[in-house]
Amino acid sequence: MTLEYATLTVDGLYPDSPGRETQDAYLVATRFAGDPDLHLFAVFDGHGACGAACSGFARDALPRLLLLAAEDDAAGGGGSLLATDPAGAFRAAMVGVNEEMHAAPAVDDSMSGTTAVAALVAGGALHVANVGDSRAVAGVWRDGRVAAEELSWDQTPFRADERARVKACGARVMSVEQVEGVRDPDAEGWLADEGDPPRVWARDGLYPGTAFTRSLGDLAAEGVGVIADPEVKTVEITPAHLFFVVASDGVFEFLSSQEVVDMVAMHQDPRDACAAIAAESYKLWLEHENRTDDITIIIVHIRDAQNGVTKRTPAAPGRR
């Protein structure tokens, strides 16, 4: 098949920190491992004081460890793990990134870390691994329209299963308003579009305060159940699959998956779609807050059944 892709990163606007470094990173590795049928796309969203270092570390380490997991399994006579068990390969690689980050002297991940969402095109299949609240979604032609097909699940305290899991590890789950005593600390009626979201807190401290329940790095959060184990989803790429999007939560904070898919479907060129989504996301951030998050988008069009990958270089600088 022919894949045509574009990427765009827009630095967040932080009026109180004008020199702040973007904490997003992304990865595109076409013909991954030298295989013309393997193509890897990933986005990382760092958090904490050393979030940029954490996302950059994960970007560099993930493809190496994913390849290592595949080679180790093949050496044992089991064939490539990417072919026989892509979910297992992703789990081994992401847990490995987490362990290496903890041990890296150049990266302080004591209270910093990163999300990671990675999409691997493997022949006629698409494997997506997710840690945190970045997201992947496909645009699928269905019932006369382009519908959003979720390729990942946000791992946040809004999810009852994730909330129960971190609580079992000793975490408290409360919004900032609950921590400050403004709201009932035992109430669980959070709404996604109202007020501060539920966060993960240590039982006896005001940390880590993450709005997600899985992460690479972040030793403090790991101590209360914020783990590096990814959720992995595999879908068969059919003629109805028109494109997929991999993006940080800077995109999805105020845009739904369907709204993002609708905007991609309006543009033939993925560069134009990247620019339109980034502009809309930026505008919505400023309508709701006095800042914006970093915004990173990868859009991959699935054009036809011919073999090849084409990069669309952004017409304008990728950072603002």
Side-chain angles (χ1 to χ4, degrees), residues 155-167:
Q155 296 144 354
T156 75
F158 279 114
R159 279 175 49 177
D161 59 338
E162 288 291 286
R163 190 163 65 246
R165 185 181 58 75
V166 296
K167 282 186 172 183

Side-chain angles (χ1 to χ4, degrees), residues 72-248:
D72 284 350
D73 195 65
S80 170
L81 195 61
L82 286 176
T84 61
D85 184 12
F90 266 122
R91 289 191 180 99
M94 288 196 173
V95 169
V97 171
N98 188 60
E99 293 173 350
E100 286 195 3
M101 193 181 301
H102 290 340
V107 180
D108 179 4
D109 72 340
S110 58
M111 295 192 74
S112 298
T114 183
T115 69
V117 58
L120 178 71
V121 178
L126 180 60
H127 310 291
V128 178
N130 183 53
V131 172
D133 59 357
S134 293
R135 190 181 302 176
V137 58
V140 183
W141 185 256
R142 185 181 297 147
D143 298 327
R145 63 187 289 264
V146 182
E149 178 183 5
E150 302 291 357
L151 299 176
S152 65
W153 304 274
D154 295 357
Q155 296 144 354
T156 75
F158 279 114
R159 279 175 49 177
D161 59 338
E162 288 291 286
R163 190 163 65 246
R165 185 181 58 75
V166 296
K167 282 186 172 183
C169 294
R172 297 179 296 161
V173 176
M174 295 186 290
S175 66
V176 170
E177 290 96 333
Q178 289 173 299
V179 170
E180 294 176 343
V182 177
R183 290 185 57 199
D184 180 357
D186 297 321
E188 293 192 347
W190 306 284
L191 298 176
D193 56 352
E194 289 186 15
D196 189 66
R199 298 177 181 273
V200 179
W201 307 91
R203 179 65 59 187
D204 57 354
L206 295 178
Y207 68 90
T210 60
F212 42 82
T213 53
R214 303 196 190 199
S215 168
L216 303 180
D218 205 330
L219 274 166
E222 191 174 298
V224 287
V226 180
I227 58 175
D229 189 40
E231 292 180 306
V232 183
K233 180 175 182 178
T234 295
V235 300
E236 178 186 356
I237 299 174
T238 71
H241 285 84
L242 306 179
F243 55 81
F244 62 89
V245 180
V246 183
S248 64

Side-chain angles (χ1 to χ4, degrees), residues 6-75:
T7 66
L8 181 63
T9 292
V10 179
D11 292 352
L13 174 66
Y14 287 80
D16 296 334
S17 304
R20 174 187 174 277
E21 182 180 10
T22 182
Q23 294 187 316
D24 280 3
Y26 71 87
L27 163 70
V28 174
T30 59
R31 296 172 179 84
F32 182 62
D35 189 327
D37 292 326
L38 292 179
H39 311 289
L40 179 64
F41 306 88
V43 167
F44 310 87
D45 181 359
H47 64 271
C50 299
C54 292
S55 62
F57 184 94
R59 174 199 59 211
D60 297 339
L62 180 62
R64 173 175 55 81
L65 292 177
L66 192 58
L67 183 58
L68 183 62
E71 290 175 344
D72 284 350
D73 195 65

Side-chain angles (χ1 to χ4, degrees), residues 222-285:
E222 191 174 298
V224 287
V226 180
I227 58 175
D229 189 40
E231 292 180 306
V232 183
K233 180 175 182 178
T234 295
V235 300
E236 178 186 356
I237 299 174
T238 71
H241 285 84
L242 306 179
F243 55 81
F244 62 89
V245 180
V246 183
S248 64
D249 73 331
V251 170
F252 295 106
E253 183 72 20
F254 301 109
L255 289 174
S256 69
S257 293
Q258 186 61 56
E259 287 171 327
V260 169
V261 162
D262 289 342
M263 294 182 74
V264 176
M266 292 172 61
H267 301 277
Q268 285 292 319
D269 192 321
R271 295 172 298 186
D272 296 334
C274 280
I277 292 168
E280 182 66 13
S281 300
Y282 201 91
K283 178 178 74 71
L284 290 172
W285 270 99

